[in-house]
Amino acid sequence: MTADGSSLPHRVRRVLAIRPFRRLWGVTFLCSTADWLALLGVADLVANAAGSYTAKNFAFSGVVFSNLLPGLLFAPVGGLLADRFDRRAVMVVGDVLRCCLLLSIVVVDVPWWPFAGSFLASSVAMLWIPAKDAAVPNLLRRPDQVETANQLGLVMTYGITVVAAGGLYALTGVGPSLRLPDDLLGANGSVKLALALAAVFYLGSAFTVARRIPELSERVVARRAADGEPGGGFTAMVRDVGRFVRTTPLVRGLIIGAVGAFAAGGAVVGSAQSYAKSVLAGQAGFGLLFAAVFVGLSVGIVSAPKLAARVSHERFFGLAIVLAGFSLVLVALSPHLFVSLVAVVLVGASAGATFLTGVTIIGSQVADDVRGRVNAIYQALLKVVLGGALALVPLLIGLTRQRTFTVFGHDVVVDGTRPVLLGAAVLACGAGVLAYRQMNGRRAGRMFAVARTAVRRRPVRATGFVVTVEGSPSADTAAHAADLADWLQRSGTGTVVLAADPGWGDPRLQTLLSGASVTTARARVLAAAAVRADIVEREVRPALESGAIVVIERLIDSPLEQDGTGLDLEELAGVAEWTVGRLRPDFTILLDHGADEPSPTADAWDRRIRRLLRDLSTTARCVVVETADHDAGRAQIRAAMATALARIATPEAAEEPGPVDRDRRTGTHPDF
C-alpha cells in the first residue's frame, strides 16, 4: 500500500488505463528488446571476427564499453534536443536512424564496423532517451502517477525485455540444434537475423510514435505557441540549464547524490569477481553475488514507493544513498559469503530505490521546459560515473597486496577489494548526506529520526481529494470556490468541505493583528500564514483523512495577497509552501482573466503574481479560466471537474480525454 491507500496492482492498472502511456510502454518494449538483441548480436559478431582467445573474451566488455561511452558525449545534446524540438519528432528520427545502423551492420562485411555501428546506435539512443523520459509525465493524469510510471518503465527495460531478447536471440540460433545446413543463412546468419529483427523493432517503434502517440508533442507545441518563445539557441539553453542546476538546491542535491550512488554501484560491479575470491567462493560465489544485486534492485524498485509515502521523496533520496553506503561497509567487512549476499541485496535495493526516486523527482518536480536536459544529465551521470568506476576499480585493487587472516576459525582473504569498497561506502554516505541537506534545506531534520518515520509511521498523505481555486488579485476566487463546493455537494459526490481564504476581514486574523499590534508587510504576511496553517491542520487534514473532497480558496497565493506587495515573490512562495506543509492539490482551478493579452497598464505586482501562479500550478492537474464572465467560467470549471472525478473513480472508462481536458492530461494547461 502507498500513501493514497492503493495497492501496487491497483496503481499499475490506473496508469496502464491511460492509452497514450500504455502505447509508450509498448514502444519501450520494442526499443529495449531491440537494444538487448543488438548488444548480444554485435558482441557475437565481434567475437566471431576476433582471432585470438583473449580478443574473443574482450568482445562483450568492449561492446558494453562502446555502449556506455556515448553517455558522456551525446546525453547533453539529447537533453537540448528534447527541450528545444518536438519530442515525438526526435524519437521518430532516432528510431529510424537506429534501424538503418543495425541494417548496415548486417549488410556491411567489415570487421570493425559492428563496433562503429553499435557506438553510433548507442549515440542515437542517448538522443532518444531524454525525449522519451521528459515526455512521460505529460501523458499522466496525476503527478503521483509519475512514480508508478517509472516503475513500469524500469521493469520493462531491465526485466521483461531482457527475458524477451534472450528468448528471441536463442530462437534465431536454433539452426545447429535443428541440424539445418550451415550455408542456409550464410556466415553469422543467425546473428544477422537477430540484428535484422532488432531493426524491425525500431521501425515498429517509429511508426507507433509517429502515428499512435501524438500526445508526446502536443503540450510542447502548445506551450511555445502560447508563449511566443522559440526556445533560444543551443548556447543559451546550455547556460540556462547550468544556471538552473546552480540555483536549484533540489537538482543540485540530486546530482551530488547521483554521483555518489553511481560510483558506489560501479565499485561493487567492478570488484565483484575479485571479491568473490576473497570470501573463498570462486566463480559460483561471483554468480550468486551478481544475482543478489539484481534481486536487490527489484526489491528496491518495488518497495521504494511505500517508504517514500511516509517521508518526502527529497528526504528518501538521501536516505537511500546513505543506506547503500552502510550496506557497502557490511560488504567490505564481511567474513562469509552468506553475510555478503545479504549485504549486497541491501546495496542493490538501495540503488534501485535511489534511481527510481531520482527519476520520479525529475518527472514530478522539474519544470517541463528544462526536464529533458536534467534527465540527460542524470542519465549521463549513470553511464559516465559507472563506466569510470568500472575502469578505475581494477587498477585500485591491484595496488594492494593480498593477505590472509583467520577470523573465528575461518580464513578471510583481504585484498584490494576491501579498501576499495570501504572508500566507496564513505563516498556514498558523504554524497547521501550532502544530497539530503541540499534537497531539504532548513526542513532537513535529523536523518535517523526521518529514517524511523519511513519505517514505522503511517503514510502522511491524505486519502481525500483536494481542489484549490487560485487567481490573480482581481479574480473572484471566493464566489467560484463557494459555487463549486455547493455544486459538488448537490451532485452527490460525498462529503464536501469548503476552506475559505482567511482574508483581511477574517475575525481570527483581525484578532491576531490587533492583539499583537502587527503593522509591517512581512509581519502581516506571517500572521495570515499562521491563520492559514491553523485552517489546514484543524479543518482540511481531518476532512481529507475521512475521504472528503476539500475545496480550498487560495491555497498557493494567499500569502501573496495578504499585503505582500513589494516583498520577494520567491520568499512569499516559500511561505505558502511551508504554511500548508506537504499538502498538494489534486486539481487546480486558476482564474486568470487576462491570460491572453495582459494589459500594458496592468499593475506590475498583479502581473508578477500571475506569472508565479502559472509556474506553481504546473505541479497539479489544472484548468485555466480565462473569461471574466462568471457563468461561462462556472460551466468550464464544472465540466473539467466532472472529467477529473470520473477519471479518478473509473480510470478504465476514461481513456480518451474530453474536449475540456484534451490538453491537460498532466495537470498543466498548454499555456504553461
Side-chain angles (χ1 to χ4, degrees):
M1 304 291 286
T2 55
D4 60 359
S6 60
S7 63
L8 178 61
H10 179 69
R11 289 184 290 115
V12 168
R13 286 196 302 270
R14 290 176 62 139
V15 171
L16 291 179
I18 305 171
R19 182 174 295 172
F21 175 80
R22 190 169 64 244
R23 288 172 176 167
L24 184 62
W25 201 51
V27 164
T28 304
F29 171 81
L30 292 174
C31 288
S32 294
T33 303
D35 290 342
W36 291 112
L37 276 174
L39 177 65
L40 295 172
V42 171
D44 212 345
L45 280 180
V46 173
N48 292 339
S52 65
Y53 178 76
T54 303
K56 291 180 181 293
N57 290 332
F58 177 75
F60 185 77
S61 59
V63 172
V64 170
F65 184 77
S66 70
N67 286 341
L68 289 174
L69 184 60
L72 172 63
L73 302 176
F74 296 104
V77 178
L80 292 172
L81 293 176
D83 287 339
R84 181 179 176 88
F85 298 109
D86 184 338
R87 289 167 183 161
R88 182 167 54 134
V90 172
M91 293 173 65
V92 170
V93 172
D95 283 331
V96 172
L97 286 176
R98 287 192 286 180
C99 173
C100 295
L101 286 168
L102 286 192
L103 289 178
S104 72
I105 294 175
V106 173
V107 175
V108 177
D109 191 16
V110 178
W112 54 267
W113 181 245
F115 258 126
S118 176
F119 173 81
L120 293 175
S122 299
S123 301
V124 174
M126 294 312 302
L127 308 180
W128 187 91
I129 291 173
K132 189 265 291 184
D133 288 344
V136 167
N138 298 343
L139 306 181
L140 305 175
R141 297 173 185 140
R142 296 166 56 96
D144 56 11
Q145 291 179 324
V146 172
E147 191 166 46
T148 305
N150 288 330
Q151 279 182 295
L152 288 170
L154 291 175
V155 168
M156 178 63 80
T157 302
Y158 299 105
I160 297 174
T161 56
V162 175
V163 176
L168 289 172
Y169 194 74
L171 287 176
T172 59
V174 297
S177 300
L178 298 178
R179 300 187 182 280
L180 298 177
D182 294 336
D183 58 349
L184 180 63
L185 298 175
N188 297 314
S190 61
V191 176
K192 293 181 178 180
L193 180 61
L195 292 175
L197 180 61
V200 171
F201 281 1
Y202 285 134
L203 196 60
S205 171
F207 176 83
T208 304
V209 170
R211 301 298 300 272
R212 305 288 287 172
I213 322 179
E215 296 85 357
L216 288 170
S217 56
E218 277 183 1
R219 183 173 181 268
V220 175
V221 173
R223 174 172 182 165
R224 289 176 184 149
D227 290 348
E229 298 176 358
F234 279 106
T235 304
M237 293 180 72
V238 172
R239 288 199 303 266
D240 181 49
V241 75
R243 182 170 56 252
F244 179 77
V245 171
R246 289 194 307 271
T247 59
T248 308
L250 177 72
V251 179
R252 195 164 60 239
L254 188 73
I255 291 175
I256 292 172
V259 169
F262 297 154
V268 172
V269 176
S271 62
Q273 198 154 19
S274 299
Y275 179 81
K277 296 178 182 178
S278 74
V279 292
L280 306 179
Q283 285 300 110
F286 170 69
L288 290 174
L289 290 169
F290 192 79
V293 171
F294 282 91
V295 170
L297 284 171
S298 302
V299 171
I301 291 171
V302 171
S303 60
K306 182 177 180 179
L307 296 175
R310 303 173 186 178
V311 295
S312 67
H313 283 99
E314 298 92 320
R315 291 180 171 183
F316 184 69
F317 182 77
L319 287 174
I321 298 172
V322 172
L323 178 59
F326 280 114
S327 302
L328 270 180
V329 173
L330 292 178
V331 176
L333 301 180
S334 170
H336 194 273
L337 178 62
F338 176 78
V339 178
S340 301
L341 290 174
V342 174
V344 168
V345 168
L346 288 176
V347 173
S350 302
T354 298
F355 187 78
L356 175 63
T357 305
V359 294
T360 299
I361 290 172
I362 294 172
S364 60
Q365 299 189 45
V366 174
D368 182 71
D369 56 346
V370 294
R371 189 185 301 141
R373 282 165 286 176
V374 175
N375 254 317
I377 292 172
Y378 194 69
Q379 294 288 343
L381 284 175
L382 169 63
K383 296 179 181 297
V384 173
V385 176
L386 186 61
L390 289 174
L392 185 61
V393 163
L395 297 177
L396 294 176
I397 291 176
L399 296 177
T400 303
R401 192 172 60 181
Q402 190 177 89
R403 298 177 183 271
T404 303
F405 298 91
T406 301
V407 180
F408 300 116
H410 294 279
D411 289 338
V412 177
V413 178
V414 177
D415 56 13
T417 60
R418 308 288 180 152
V420 166
L421 290 175
L422 283 175
V426 172
L427 177 62
C429 288
V433 171
L434 284 176
Y436 182 86
R437 294 295 178 185
Q438 286 283 325
M439 299 172 77
N440 294 280
R442 296 179 180 179
R443 299 177 298 159
R446 292 180 299 176
M447 292 191 72
F448 288 109
V450 175
R452 287 197 301 269
T453 298
V455 174
R456 296 178 181 176
R457 294 185 182 178
R458 296 179 304 165
V460 297
R461 292 186 58 178
T463 59
F465 190 82
V466 181
V467 183
T468 177
V469 182
E470 309 288 351
S472 56
S474 60
D476 189 2
T477 54
H480 277 293
D483 180 84
L484 177 61
D486 179 67
W487 176 73
L488 289 171
Q489 190 71 60
R490 288 186 286 104
S491 300
T493 54
T495 304
V496 180
V497 175
L498 173 63
D501 176 54
W504 291 121
D506 189 284
R508 290 168 293 185
L509 183 56
Q510 286 298 321
T511 301
L512 183 61
L513 293 175
S514 60
S517 300
V518 173
T519 57
T520 64
R522 188 179 298 273
R524 289 162 70 88
V525 167
L526 293 175
V531 175
R532 169 49 57 91
D534 186 62
I535 292 174
V536 169
E537 294 300 325
R538 291 196 302 108
E539 299 178 16
V540 175
R541 292 196 185 279
L544 291 174
E545 292 294 338
S546 66
I549 297 177
V550 180
V551 180
I552 307 178
E553 181 195 355
R554 298 188 185 277
L555 177 69
I556 298 174
D557 64 348
S558 181
L560 310 181
E561 288 294 281
Q562 306 297 349
D563 200 22
T565 307
L567 299 180
D568 185 84
L569 268 181
E570 292 187 2
E571 290 183 355
L572 292 174
V575 170
E577 182 180 1
W578 177 80
T579 298
V580 301
R582 295 186 59 201
L583 184 65
R584 296 292 183 270
D586 296 292
F587 192 81
T588 299
I589 298 164
L590 178 57
L591 307 178
D592 192 359
H593 300 157
D596 286 334
E597 296 181 3
S599 171
T601 60
D603 181 74
W605 182 250
D606 188 328
R607 293 198 301 271
R608 290 175 64 196
I609 290 178
R610 283 174 47 208
R611 170 56 63 180
L612 180 62
L613 287 176
R614 283 170 168 266
D615 294 339
L616 293 176
S617 297
T618 61
T619 59
R621 299 191 72 253
C622 178
V623 58
V624 177
V625 178
E626 300 174 349
T627 176
D629 183 84
H630 183 82
D631 292 338
R634 177 175 58 191
Q636 184 180 356
I637 291 170
R638 291 182 179 181
M641 194 73 238
T643 303
L645 293 176
R647 285 184 169 181
I648 293 170
T650 55
E652 292 81 3
E655 293 181 350
E656 288 299 321
V660 176
D661 201 54
R662 187 169 300 278
D663 289 310
R664 303 183 175 94
R665 293 179 181 84
T666 68
T668 54
H669 188 272
D671 286 350
F672 293 170

